[in-house]
Amino acid sequence: MKYLVRDKMLAIGDDYWIEDEDGRHAYLVDGKALRFRDTLELKDPDGRILITLREKLFALRDAMTLERDERRLAVIRKKRFSLLRNHYTVVLNEGTELDVSGRILDREFKVEYEGELLALISRQWYRIRETYAVDVVREDADASLLIAVAVCVVRMAEKERDGPGDD
């Protein structure tokens, strides 16, 4: 299933819908303004919070946490030593690691578990400016988690590119 994400609206304080491939509202990204750190909430169409995305404060290196039901679900960090410039690791609470690699800033990357493709993120399916798709490849995969991972990784890569204090 493919989900459409509109890039331009990723500012904190902005809310935007992520649509499914049929154009229906699938998830609402609620940007929480006036917070000390970046916080986004991924909600279902009825307004229920599915995943909270938070920037980790005072981390030695950039990281974001994903929470479900107010419990930590995963931590996303840029991979320290990698031949690939845009390489992130998602460590789920039970210890499972997902690998995110590709051209993050170009919105051309993938999310894998032990070499198996879970999601493909790409602009190639849509010609709409500043839009990309999250294609959840595995039917049994947690789509909300994979969408949250994509949103976090893009946000982290943009912050790194822009440097400190350029928000």
Side-chain angles (χ1 to χ4, degrees):
M1 169 77 70
K2 288 183 184 138
Y3 298 91
L4 180 68
V5 181
R6 298 191 199 295
D7 247 354
K8 192 157 183 90
M9 301 178 201
L10 286 178
I12 290 296
D14 288 345
D15 299 345
Y16 62 95
W17 284 100
I18 294 175
E19 299 171 351
D20 66 17
E21 58 194 332
D22 297 320
R24 294 184 304 250
H25 288 168
Y27 300 100
L28 175 68
V29 178
D30 185 357
K32 296 296 175 183
L34 305 173
R35 298 269 175 110
F36 185 60
R37 60 183 174 174
D38 287 354
T39 302
L40 302 168
E41 292 175 343
L42 187 66
K43 297 179 177 180
D44 70 11
D46 295 323
R48 287 185 297 265
I49 299 170
L50 302 173
I51 298 179
T52 302
L53 301 73
R54 295 186 201 277
E55 179 181 42
K56 284 191 85 167
L57 289 179
F58 311 116
L60 292 176
R61 56 186 183 158
D62 289 337
M64 289 191 82
T65 59
L66 303 179
E67 298 171 3
R68 181 175 277 153
D69 299 325
E70 298 184 19
R71 290 189 305 261
R72 189 172 75 186
L73 175 63
V75 176
I76 303 172
R77 286 191 174 88
K78 182 163 180 150
K79 205 163 190 178
R80 245 303 190 243
F81 303 105
S82 172
L83 297 175
L84 301 172
R85 202 174 111 233
N86 291 297
H87 201 171
Y88 292 80
T89 301
V90 180
V91 179
L92 302 175
N93 265 2
E94 74 274 2
T96 301
E97 283 192 28
L98 305 181
D99 188 60
V100 182
S101 62
R103 297 185 329 270
I104 308 294
L105 293 173
D106 292 334
R107 307 323 186 248
E108 298 292 337
F109 59 97
K110 58 189 174 181
V111 180
E112 297 177 305
Y113 170 66
E114 294 186 348
E116 182 182 351
L117 183 64
L118 300 178
L120 188 60
I121 293 76
S122 179
R123 281 193 166 145
Q124 73 181 11
W125 294 300
Y126 295 97
R127 297 296 175 217
I128 303 167
R129 195 166 173 241
E130 298 183 6
T131 301
Y132 64 93
V134 177
D135 184 8
V136 178
V137 177
R138 284 193 43 166
E139 288 185 28
D140 62 341
D142 183 342
S144 62
L145 171 64
L146 294 170
I147 290 167
V149 166
V151 169
C152 282
V153 168
V154 166
R155 186 165 193 78
M156 291 171 73
E158 286 180 341
K159 285 184 102 171
E160 181 182 359
R161 176 197 63 203
D162 294 342
D166 289 348
D167 288 336

